[in-house]
């Protein structure tokens, strides 16, 4: 079992490898064997006390989450502890957020502002034509979303056709009304899940050994190509309809 505690300026999580404290500029990894005890020192603070007495505090979580995290981490501690304590702790620099982290949000904000300015201009100069600008967002949005999804899946299939590892995945449940959740194990013994609309007890999946969570279900080459073509054509139709409705008056 693993849990995450989001505190002030730090996120604490743990798994079989240990406790991980992520701050804006540093990541600290603490082996479970190096932890002597876990204290809920305050309603919103957890103290992780190492076997040599060094303490790491996580503050800012809500009281319920704080208590649950402390209890879960305590239950996960091994019987045998290592007295080396802080000498077993490792730290590394976290990459600070840069332009590459926020540029998609900034680009989206510019698109929204530009669209609103355009809609105001159409309403002021063409009156009722603004209705087409507003309604046209639906096909335009569907086309862009579908195109992005199709490009992503096509890229994933091309990539995994070159370096993917094929395994047999077994159905373990459902998500929503249509999707079936399959479970598969990578070469390092880690378990991952994959959801698709194949209603069968087992199916072949191809996953990326460099990023095992990236996977696709098996499709024959003709079927995969036909599916991509149909999706691309459908997205193109929606895009054309949306562009004509939104920007047609400019032509």
């Amino acid at each position: 079992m693993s849990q995450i505690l989001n505190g002030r300026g730090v996120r604490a999580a743990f798994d079989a490898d240990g406790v991980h404290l992520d701050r804006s500029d540093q990541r600290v990894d603490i082996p479970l064997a190096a932890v002597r005890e876990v204290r809920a020192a305050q309603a919103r603070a957890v103290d992780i006390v190492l076997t040599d007495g060094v303490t790491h505090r996580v503050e800012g979580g809500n009281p319920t989450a704080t208590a649950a995290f402390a209890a879960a981490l305590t239950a996960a501690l091994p019987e045998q502890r290592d007295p080396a304590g802080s000498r077993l702790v490792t730290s590394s620099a976290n990459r600070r957020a840069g332009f590459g982290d926020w540029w998609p949000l900034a680009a989206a904000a510019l698109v929204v502002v530009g669209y609103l300015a355009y809609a105001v201009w159409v309403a002021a100069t063409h009156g009722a034509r603004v209705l087409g600008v507003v309604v046209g967002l639906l096909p335009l949005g569907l086309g862009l979303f579908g195109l992005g999804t199709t490009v992503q899946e096509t890229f994933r299939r091309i990539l995994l056709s070159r370096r993917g590892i094929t395994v047999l995945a077994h159905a373990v449940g459902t998500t929503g009304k249509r999707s079936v959740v399959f479970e598969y194990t990578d070469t390092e013994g880690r378990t991952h899940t994959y959801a698709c609309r194949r209603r069968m007890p087992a199916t072949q999946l191809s996953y990326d050994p460099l990023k095992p969570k990236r996977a696709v279900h098996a499709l024959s080459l003709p079927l995969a190509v036909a599916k991509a073509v149909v999706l691309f054509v459908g997205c193109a139709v929606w895009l054309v309809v949306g562009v004509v409705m939104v920007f047609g008056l400019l032509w």
Side-chain angles (χ1 to χ4, degrees), residues 169-191:
H170 299 275
V172 294
T174 59
T175 175
K177 295 183 178 180
R178 297 184 178 182
S179 295
V180 177
V181 178
F182 293 90
E183 188 174 84
Y184 62 97
T185 304
D186 62 26
T187 54
E188 297 183 1
R190 293 174 296 188
T191 301

Side-chain angles (χ1 to χ4, degrees), residues 41-192:
Q42 302 172 9
R44 297 176 179 272
V46 170
D47 284 342
I48 302 172
V49 184
L50 306 188
T51 53
D52 60 356
V54 175
T55 301
H56 295 266
R57 171 167 286 196
V58 179
E59 296 181 335
N62 70 67
T64 301
T66 299
F69 182 85
L73 179 53
T74 298
L77 296 178
E79 294 183 4
Q80 297 293 328
R81 312 296 171 83
D82 194 321
S86 58
R87 285 179 292 174
L88 301 176
V89 175
T90 59
S91 62
S92 57
N94 265 345
R95 182 177 64 88
R96 289 184 176 273
F99 179 74
D101 297 299
W102 57 263
W103 78 262
L105 183 61
L110 287 175
V111 170
V112 171
V113 171
Y115 168 78
L116 291 176
Y118 173 69
V120 170
W121 174 78
V122 172
T125 58
H126 295 79
R129 287 294 299 273
V130 72
L131 182 62
V133 174
V134 175
V135 176
L137 275 183
L138 179 60
L140 184 62
L142 288 174
L144 288 173
F145 176 78
L147 183 62
T149 303
T150 303
V151 169
Q152 185 180 42
E153 181 179 352
T154 302
F155 169 77
R156 186 186 299 120
R157 287 194 175 278
I158 293 174
L159 178 69
L160 295 183
S161 68
R162 296 180 177 180
R163 72 181 188 203
I165 296 176
T166 302
V167 295
L168 184 65
H170 299 275
V172 294
T174 59
T175 175
K177 295 183 178 180
R178 297 184 178 182
S179 295
V180 177
V181 178
F182 293 90
E183 188 174 84
Y184 62 97
T185 304
D186 62 26
T187 54
E188 297 183 1
R190 293 174 296 188
T191 301
H192 307 277

Side-chain angles (χ1 to χ4, degrees), residues 18 24 148 176 251:
S24 61
W251 303 337

Side-chain angles (χ1 to χ4, degrees), residues 150 153-154 157-158 219-233:
T150 303
E153 181 179 352
T154 302
R157 287 194 175 278
I158 293 174
L219 280 180
S220 65
L221 181 59
L223 185 58
V225 172
K227 179 182 177 182
V229 170
V230 170
L231 288 175
F232 273 116
V233 171

Side-chain angles (χ1 to χ4, degrees), residues 4 32 42 85 89 169 208 211 235 240:
I4 297 174
L32 293 179
Q42 302 172 9
V89 175
D208 188 349
K211 190 176 181 181
C235 293
V240 170

